[in-house]
Amino acid sequence: MLNAWHLSVAPFIQKRENSLIVTLWLAGDELPEKVVLRGEKDNEELSLVMVRQKHAPLEGVVAWKATLETAEGQPRRRYSFKLLWQDRQRWYTPQGFRKTPPARLEQFAVDMPDDGPDWVQDQVFYQIFPDRFARGSNRQPEQDNVYFHHAAGRDIVRREWDEPLTGEAGGSTFYGGDLDGINEKLPYLKKLGVTALYLNPIFTAPSVHKYDTQDYRQVDEQFGGNAAFLRLRENTRRQGMKLMLDGVFNHSGDTHAWFDRHQQSDGGACHNPQSTWRDWYSFSAEGRALDWLGYSSLPKLDYRSPTLVDEIYRSEQSIVRHWLREPWGIDGWRLDVVHMLGEAGGAKNNLLHVGSITRAAKETKPDAYVLGEHFGDARQWLQADTEDAAMNYRGFTFPLWGFLANTDISYEPQNMDAQTCVAWMEEYRAGLSHQQQLRMFNQLDSHDTARFKSILGKDVARLPLAVIWLYAWPGVPCIFYGDEVGLDGNNDPFCRKPFPWNKRDQDLDLLALYRRLGKLRKQSRALRQGGCRVIYAENDVVVFVRIYQNERVLVAINRGNSVQVTLPWDALLSGRAWAQIEGEAVLANRELSLPAVSASVWRSL
């Protein structure tokens, strides 16, 4: 049997000033007579004969090396390995051996040079729905004004923090969380291991979720206005925390002065065909504005308009650039439903505009992080480099839901074993460069889904398994506020409950786990920057290892009954002394004893 090892990290990749030294390890009874590195230069295939090394990295393992020149050509270096015998050939790719040449986007890929924001991979993000996280101690009475919410046809509802959330008036119910409240909780977040914040929309809007923007250049007074945001920005910097905002550029709210459905100002596009902003929206032949998915309060922006393009991203004074500049100096944008943004009420020329938003952000702040929201397959955008990364629903969240909760995105049954789960995750990330994989935004849930704790239902004991997986899988982990203390909740609005600050309402064991994992990730370069190899995936058990240079972090997940597993021999694990970091599993040589419904972590240096 032939085995192969290659990851797009050290020691398999050695970076030189104008070259990459690429190494493949092979072991088995019938080694190939020749190995060729299939690379490319400016999309043209090239073949480099690899040199068999005299010295073995391990007993029984043979290393082959070749050098890829990087002084010229596109920075994304795609490559695979062609193994040759006298009468046959095989190819080795991120998904293992195959008999036919791999598709171009199914090969190993490493970016050199990498112009993406390299700070992202080292973070632990924390997503905050501002109205529900914390209420500032100095909140002013005018922040709690009651007003008529046109989209709901009613006055907004004000609730005390400890009042239970109901299904009534979900988008019109306010608990009074604000930016000063976040400020006051930064020490808590720092102790949790959080290094970066992602805030749901904070700009002026009538709803509690604020995806119906009324003014892109003003922070909502309910949250404390621009002054409170400036205080938060200054304090996050003092704490060494990054800050990312939600950019809702697919649609505005119908109360925005550009549209002005309710005629609260003059000149809005809704009722005035001669409006300055009329071509910023799309209208049917009957004069009806095209909206987002049937929500009339969310009229679609039409990027055919050059003046809209200038306002959103192109001009020096555009919204995208404005908040990246000082004194705000945000670190990135999360782009809401960005795959639907485009022209003529639809997504025409979507990649053009999304890529242009990203370029505008980078021109303003070279290390800005541009993150796309995609519930579906995001690889079309990522492979075209129109975004730095995507919310990794398709490549992380949904496979995890299927394996641990037997549920899909539609909350319908999905019976998935370990083999299927891992095949899904591995196939998805194989289409991305190593650096893109590290910047993908991994979450167990979000403001747009039920809480994972509630999705698990009777299998809630599996929750710690998912948390360990979140911190250990390639990508940057993001905690949805309250997950760390066991906050539950089904779909909107129940996934948006106020944070339970009373300790008697918190799962303190779960909180302690999150804190330990935050410390481990900070200590481990393998978890932040390393490659990943799945060692074992059968039935209820998944075992994988993260590797960077000489460091290894081994993770074992068992969703079922206690079980004994014999791991296959693997060169990445051989001869290692392991220190157990989490869990109660027992690892003796290649024999693994896993308690029921458990996750364990070991580290080797």
Side-chain angles (χ1 to χ4, degrees):
M1 181 179 178
L2 187 64
N3 286 312
W5 294 267
H6 178 82
L7 299 170
S8 297
V9 294
F12 299 99
I13 290 284
Q14 294 174 282
K15 295 183 180 181
R16 300 291 184 261
E17 185 176 355
N18 291 310
S19 64
L20 286 175
I21 300 174
V22 181
T23 301
L24 175 70
W25 291 357
L26 293 173
D29 298 330
E30 192 176 358
L31 295 174
E33 299 166 14
K34 180 179 178 181
V35 179
V36 175
L37 178 67
R38 182 275 186 203
E40 60 182 42
K41 178 183 174 182
D42 289 332
N43 304 328
E44 177 69 15
E45 291 191 20
L46 56 87
S47 296
L48 300 171
V49 176
M50 303 189 76
V51 177
R52 180 169 173 163
Q53 304 300 293
K54 293 180 180 179
H55 301 291
L58 289 170
E59 184 179 351
V61 176
V62 177
W64 298 72
K65 289 190 177 184
T67 300
L68 274 176
E69 299 300 327
T70 58
E72 298 178 331
Q74 296 184 101
R76 181 148 302 141
R77 315 293 170 172
R78 300 187 187 279
Y79 60 94
S80 54
F81 303 95
K82 184 180 184 180
L83 283 57
L84 291 162
W85 294 261
Q86 282 192 352
D87 58 349
R88 68 189 188 281
Q89 63 179 247
R90 293 173 78 182
W91 292 77
Y92 186 68
T93 75
Q95 297 185 76
F97 287 113
R98 54 183 295 155
K99 295 180 179 179
T100 56
R104 181 169 178 266
L105 299 180
E106 294 177 349
Q107 302 183 77
F108 294 99
V110 61
D111 294 330
M112 185 176 176
D114 173 27
D115 60 359
D118 57 6
W119 57 266
V120 173
Q121 62 200 20
D122 293 327
Q123 308 307 308
V124 173
F125 271 86
Y126 193 85
Q127 180 190 349
I128 295 177
F129 194 81
D131 181 69
R132 307 291 167 80
F133 180 61
R135 186 178 173 103
S137 57
N138 293 320
R139 186 174 176 85
Q140 300 302 305
E142 59 267 24
Q143 292 178 246
D144 290 322
N145 288 336
V146 172
Y147 56 86
F148 189 77
H149 187 189
H150 287 281
R154 59 169 299 156
D155 285 339
I156 65 165
V157 178
R158 291 287 183 188
R159 289 210 172 114
E160 295 300 317
W161 202 259
D162 293 328
E163 284 188 74
L165 184 64
T166 70
E168 178 191 10
S172 308
T173 299
F174 291 80
Y175 281 83
D178 54 29
L179 300 185
D180 284 328
I182 299 172
N183 245 329
E184 293 169 14
K185 298 300 183 183
L186 290 183
Y188 162 82
L189 294 173
K190 189 148 190 173
K191 187 175 181 181
L192 182 60
V194 169
T195 60
L197 303 184
Y198 153 43
L199 304 185
N200 285 117
I202 63 171
F203 303 129
T204 302
S207 70
V208 69
H209 54 72
K210 304 208 179 297
Y211 283 97
D212 50 346
T213 313
Q214 185 171 313
D215 189 338
Y216 287 96
R217 296 182 185 271
Q218 296 295 324
V219 174
D220 201 302
E221 290 299 331
Q222 296 170 358
F223 295 157
N226 288 359
F229 181 58
L230 194 56
R231 289 192 292 273
L232 178 62
R233 176 71 285 219
E234 290 169 350
N235 284 339
T236 52
R237 281 173 164 161
R238 276 195 285 268
Q239 296 283 357
M241 288 184 181
K242 302 291 187 178
L243 183 59
M244 180 171 67
L245 293 185
D246 215 324
V248 188
F249 305 134
N250 170 69
H251 53 267
S252 75
D254 66 354
T255 60
H256 199 296
W258 302 341
F259 195 78
D260 194 22
R261 181 187 301 279
H262 308 292
Q263 297 180 292
Q264 296 170 315
S265 57
D266 296 322
C270 182
H271 303 291
N272 183 4
Q274 281 71 51
S275 170
T276 302
W277 304 297
R278 183 74 173 188
D279 69 344
W280 290 21
Y281 300 91
S282 299
F283 291 85
S284 68
E286 297 75 30
R288 182 183 64 82
L290 304 185
D291 55 42
W292 180 69
L293 297 183
Y295 293 97
S296 61
S297 61
L298 305 176
K300 279 270 293 183
L301 293 169
D302 188 344
Y303 283 80
R304 287 179 299 181
S305 169
T307 52
L308 173 69
V309 168
D310 285 341
E311 175 69 14
I312 298 294
Y313 66 79
R314 187 165 58 194
S315 77
E316 286 301 310
Q317 305 306 317
S318 68
I319 294 160
V320 167
R321 297 177 193 267
H322 172 77
W323 295 101
L324 287 163
R325 289 199 178 100
E326 297 303 324
W328 319 108
I330 68 169
D331 297 293
W333 284 107
R334 179 264 195 188
L335 302 179
D336 181 59
V337 290
V338 68
H339 52 286
M340 301 185 74
L341 179 152
E343 302 174 6
K348 184 178 180 181
N349 286 329
N350 174 268
L351 287 174
L352 168 66
H353 294 292
V354 177
S356 297
I357 289 172
T358 298
R359 282 191 295 276
K362 306 287 187 183
E363 288 168 5
T364 309
K365 190 168 190 173
D367 67 345
Y369 181 40
V370 181
L371 172 71
E373 181 204 19
H374 302 270
F375 269 82
D377 191 343
R379 288 174 293 185
Q380 177 184 358
W381 288 264
L382 298 170
Q383 289 163 351
D385 289 314
T386 62
E387 304 163 351
D388 292 315
M391 297 183 77
N392 203 11
Y393 288 112
R394 185 59 66 96
F396 178 79
T397 310
F398 297 156
L400 230 66
W401 284 17
F403 180 64
L404 293 177
N406 300 117
T407 300
D408 71 4
I409 176 54
S410 301
Y411 308 101
E412 294 171 343
Q414 184 171 36
N415 188 2
M416 184 183 294
D417 59 16
Q419 298 97 313
T420 306
C421 175
V422 164
W424 181 349
M425 298 174 82
E426 291 287 84
E427 185 271 335
Y428 193 84
R429 72 185 185 95
L432 305 176
S433 74
H434 173 68
Q435 288 87 345
Q436 286 178 313
Q437 292 177 35
L438 298 181
R439 289 191 280 264
M440 291 295 278
F441 206 72
N442 294 341
Q443 293 180 277
L444 300 180
D445 47 30
S446 74
H447 67 292
D448 283 326
T449 73
R451 297 268 180 174
F452 187 61
K453 181 178 180 180
S454 295
I455 294 169
L456 283 169
K458 62 180 177 58
D459 292 317
V460 70
R462 294 176 177 177
L463 183 55
L465 284 59
V467 176
I468 287 174
W469 210 331
L470 173 68
Y471 275 78
W473 194 252
V476 56
C478 180
I479 308 162
F480 185 36
Y481 81 97
D483 274 0
E484 76 276 16
V485 294
L487 195 59
D488 62 3
N490 290 316
N491 280 337
D492 175 24
F494 298 103
C495 58
R496 305 173 181 181
K497 293 178 180 177
F499 190 103
W501 287 108
N502 193 318
K503 279 191 164 63
R504 69 171 182 266
D505 298 322
Q506 299 180 2
D507 183 337
L508 298 180
D509 289 337
L510 185 62
L511 177 60
L513 174 63
Y514 271 93
R515 287 175 173 168
R516 292 196 304 272
L517 292 172
K519 289 180 181 177
L520 173 60
R521 185 175 167 84
K522 184 177 181 179
Q523 296 165 356
S524 171
R525 197 168 181 182
L527 289 182
R528 301 193 316 272
Q529 302 176 25
C532 180
R533 180 178 172 96
V534 176
I535 304 297
Y536 183 94
E538 292 186 20
N539 302 318
D540 295 324
V541 176
V542 175
V543 181
F544 62 90
V545 63
R546 299 291 304 278
I547 168 176
Y548 192 91
Q549 294 180 342
N550 199 45
E551 183 191 4
R552 309 284 189 271
V553 176
L554 184 67
V555 180
I557 307 285
N558 176 26
R559 71 175 181 186
N561 297 325
S562 59
V563 65
Q564 298 284 125
V565 169
T566 301
L567 298 178
W569 183 85
D570 194 285
L572 297 180
L573 307 184
S574 180
R576 290 270 163 177
W578 297 96
Q580 190 151 13
I581 306 297
E582 285 290 336
E584 299 177 355
V586 176
L587 176 63
N589 296 320
R590 290 160 46 202
E591 299 302 315
L592 192 56
S593 299
L594 297 172
V597 191
S598 66
S600 296
V601 181
W602 298 264
R603 190 177 182 209
S604 177
L605 296 172

